[in-house]
Structure formats: structure tokens, C-alpha cells
Amino acid sequence: MNPKALRDYVIKHSEGRKRYIVAIAGPPGAGKTTFATSLLSLLAEKSIQSKIISMDGFHLDNTILAERNLLDRKGAPETFDTSGFIHLMNRLTSFENNVAIPVFDRKKDLSIAGSSIITTKDKVLIVEGNYLLIEEEPWVELKKSWDHTIFINPGIDTLENR
């Protein structure tokens, strides 16, 4: 589904709802962030207030990863604050207001707490990350948060080129 078709789908299916949450999953380099950003812009054109939430904001700090001998595996499921991410999604599906979220700064290679705020005016939340759809504990708990899911898999050749 292209971003424009997804925008139209989201508009139609979010009608009459307080909030609609789209999960965009896929391997690293698949284009999740690019797709999410395109969808965000297209929703803004239709005056639908939306925000992107990246699972990357829940990377554990490099110091913690080094202590756990996981720094060389950064990005693997066990290198995220999964419980914190699940808790955040529970707060957002409960329609809490003024929820602070972390954002991952790629240049600094760290998560910055409280970098963005989700309010009740944010009707569509676009959540992107590698493990949003995996069928293993504790990630499977996220399933109940999604109103719509997209899996992006451009193929191994494209991923290797990126």
C-alpha cells in the first residue's frame, strides 16, 4: 500500500474515533521512517493532526548495552526497553493527554527522553519499528495497540544496498 492509499484508508477508518494507530514494521533499512514521514505529510494536507513514534527512542543506552555485553548487537530485540515501549503504547491507547516520548538521535547515537509530546489532539499515531509485529513475548502484547499494520520488506538486495 502506498502512502496516499494508506492516508485515504486511515481517514475513512478513523472517522468517529478519538485516535487511530498505524504500525509500520520491517527490517532495518526497509524505508519505515521514509514511509511514515510521507504518511504524516499527506495527513497534514488533509488537516489531520498526527505524530510519528519511533521504537528507536527505546534503544537502551550504549553504557547499559556495554555492561550487558550487547553493544555489538544494538538493534536486536533484547537491546530495547521493551517494557517501557509497551507501557507507552498502553498509555496512548488509553488516550492519555500530554504523554512525553523519547526520540532517538542518530548522530549522537542515543535516545533523548521527553523529546516530543503526544496530546489528545493527535488523532493518528504512526508507530514505526523493527519488532512491532513479531510473535514473541513480550512484543506480541503490542498487537492490541494497532488499528492497522503495514510490513515493509523491499527485498534482500535493496536492504544490502542501503
Side-chain angles (χ1 to χ4, degrees):
M1 184 176 279
N2 67 51
K4 216 172 216 180
L6 181 56
R7 177 209 53 202
D8 296 341
Y9 180 92
V10 167
I11 290 170
K12 178 181 176 185
H13 288 86
S14 65
E15 218 170 276
R17 299 179 64 177
K18 290 181 183 179
R19 176 166 285 152
Y20 195 85
I21 302 177
V22 177
I24 301 172
K32 298 177 299 292
T33 303
T34 302
F35 191 93
T37 303
S38 295
L39 177 58
L40 183 75
S41 295
L42 291 166
L43 288 165
E45 288 175 7
K46 298 290 185 177
S47 301
I48 296 172
Q49 191 163 325
S50 308
K51 289 258 176 72
I52 295 174
I53 300 167
S54 176
M55 189 186 92
D56 285 349
F58 288 84
H59 274 291
L60 293 174
D61 189 77
N62 288 345
T63 306
I64 294 169
L65 296 177
E67 288 170 3
R68 296 180 180 180
N69 293 318
L70 291 171
L71 189 55
D72 61 335
R73 296 199 26 85
K74 187 171 186 169
E78 65 273 16
T79 66
F80 287 89
D81 175 12
T82 312
S83 296
F85 185 67
I86 291 168
H87 180 71
L88 170 73
M89 292 315 305
N90 288 336
R91 291 178 69 194
L92 295 174
T93 57
S94 296
F95 203 61
E96 266 188 53
N97 194 26
N98 295 318
V99 178
I101 63 168
V103 173
F104 189 73
D105 184 319
R106 293 203 181 283
K107 289 179 186 169
K108 295 179 181 177
D109 193 33
L110 58 85
S111 298
I112 303 171
S115 295
S116 185
I117 300 288
I118 305 296
T119 72
T120 52
K121 291 179 182 175
D122 296 312
K123 181 172 175 106
V124 176
L125 300 180
I126 306 160
V127 184
E128 60 100 355
N130 299 346
Y131 307 115
L132 304 180
L133 303 178
I134 63 174
E135 295 284 331
E136 58 186 59
E137 291 294 335
W139 299 97
V140 73
E141 291 180 46
L142 292 166
K143 245 183 180 178
K144 65 182 185 246
S145 300
W146 316 136
D147 295 304
H148 189 79
T149 61
I150 300 281
F151 185 79
I152 299 175
N153 188 1
I156 193 71
D157 292 339
T158 301
L159 293 173
E160 285 176 353
N161 285 336
R162 290 179 181 170

